[in-house]
C-alpha cells in the first residue's frame, strides 16, 4: 500500500499543485542552464508523480461499474419432468403391472382384453399365444362382437 492510498482527494489535488509548481520552477532554472542534470531529473520525477496522482484521482472519483445483469436462478424443479406437463403419446403402452410375477395365460383361457375401439377391457378368449415366455403376444377373440385382435401381455388380464 503506497502513501497515496490513504490520502483524501483534496490532499491529492494539493500534491498535484505542488508538483506543478516544482515543474515550473525547474523550467525556469533549465531556461538559464539547460544542461543541469539535477533539474532535468527533478522535472521528470515531478511529471511522473503528476501522472500517477491524476490516475489515482480518476480511479477514486470514477463511478463504480454498473453491476452486470445476473442470469435468473435456475428453477427449483424441472417442468419438463413434471407429470402434469409431460406429453404422453396415445400409442405408448401403459406401464406394466406393479407386481413382478407376470400372469401367463394359455390358449382357450377366458380373459379381459383391451379392445382397440374404446380402450376398455372386455371378455375375450385367447385363440393363440406367440412370443417369448417373458413377453408373450396373444391373439384374442372378443365375445361381444367376435372381432380378433393381437394383444401384448399388459393388455390382457385374468378374469376376476
Amino acid at each position: 500500500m503506497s502513501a497515496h492510498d490513504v490520502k483524501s482527494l483534496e490532499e491529492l489535488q494539493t500534491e498535484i499543485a505542488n508538483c506543478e509548481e516544482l515543474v515550473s520552477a525547474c523550467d525556469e532554472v533549465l531556461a538559464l542552464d539547460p544542461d543541469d542534470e539535477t533539474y532535468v531529473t527533478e522535472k521528470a520525477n515531478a511529471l511522473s508523480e503528476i501522472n500517477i496522482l491524476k490516475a489515482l484521482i480518476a480511479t477514486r472519483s470514477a463511478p463504480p461499474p454498473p453491476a452486470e445483469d445476473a442470469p435468473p436462478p435456475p428453477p427449483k424443479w424441472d417442468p419438463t419432468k413434471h407429470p402434469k406437463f409431460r406429453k404422453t403419446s396415445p400409442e405408448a403402452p401403459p406401464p406394466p403391472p406393479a407386481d413382478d410375477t407376470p400372469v401367463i395365460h394359455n390358449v382357450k383361457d377366458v380373459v379381459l382384453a383391451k379392445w382397440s375401439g374404446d380402450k376398455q377391457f372386455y371378455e375375450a378368449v385367447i385363440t393363440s399365444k406367440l412370443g417369448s415366455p417373458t413377453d408373450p403376444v396373444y391373439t384374442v377373440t372378443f365375445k361381444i362382437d367376435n372381432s380378433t385382435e393381437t394383444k401384448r401381455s399388459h393388455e390382457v388380464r385374468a378374469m376376476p
Side-chain angles (χ1 to χ4, degrees):
M1 182 177 226
S2 70
H4 299 302
D5 291 341
V6 293
K7 293 184 178 182
S8 68
L9 289 177
E10 293 82 25
E11 291 174 329
L12 293 174
Q13 289 171 343
T14 304
E15 197 169 331
I16 286 176
N18 291 341
C19 288
E20 288 173 345
E21 286 179 21
L22 180 61
V23 168
S24 64
C26 288
D27 284 339
E28 290 175 9
V29 172
L30 289 173
L32 300 173
D33 186 13
D35 295 330
D36 192 347
E37 287 296 321
T38 306
Y39 287 101
V40 171
T41 307
E42 194 66 33
K43 179 181 176 182
N45 289 341
L47 289 174
S48 68
E49 184 72 15
I50 289 172
N51 290 335
I52 291 171
L53 292 170
K54 284 183 179 179
L56 187 59
I57 289 173
T59 57
R60 285 193 186 175
S61 61
E68 293 184 23
D69 292 336
K76 293 182 180 179
W77 53 276
D78 188 2
T80 60
K81 294 180 181 176
H82 193 280
K84 185 173 183 179
F85 302 116
R86 188 179 298 160
K87 294 183 180 181
T88 57
S89 67
E91 299 171 19
D99 58 350
D100 291 338
T101 58
V103 178
I104 304 297
H105 302 287
N106 295 316
V107 177
K108 296 186 183 178
D109 283 354
V110 177
V111 294
L112 292 175
K114 188 184 279 189
W115 186 52
S116 62
D118 62 0
K119 307 290 187 216
Q120 297 296 316
F121 284 87
Y122 295 99
E123 277 191 43
V125 177
I126 297 177
T127 56
S128 71
K129 177 179 162 184
L130 301 170
S132 68
T134 58
D135 189 23
V137 177
Y138 302 103
T139 303
V140 297
T141 302
F142 290 95
K143 289 186 174 183
I144 56 171
D145 65 351
N146 283 338
S147 64
T148 303
E149 294 182 16
T150 304
K151 300 292 173 187
R152 300 193 63 143
S153 61
H154 66 270
E155 298 173 307
V156 177
R157 297 181 184 167
M159 286 290 288

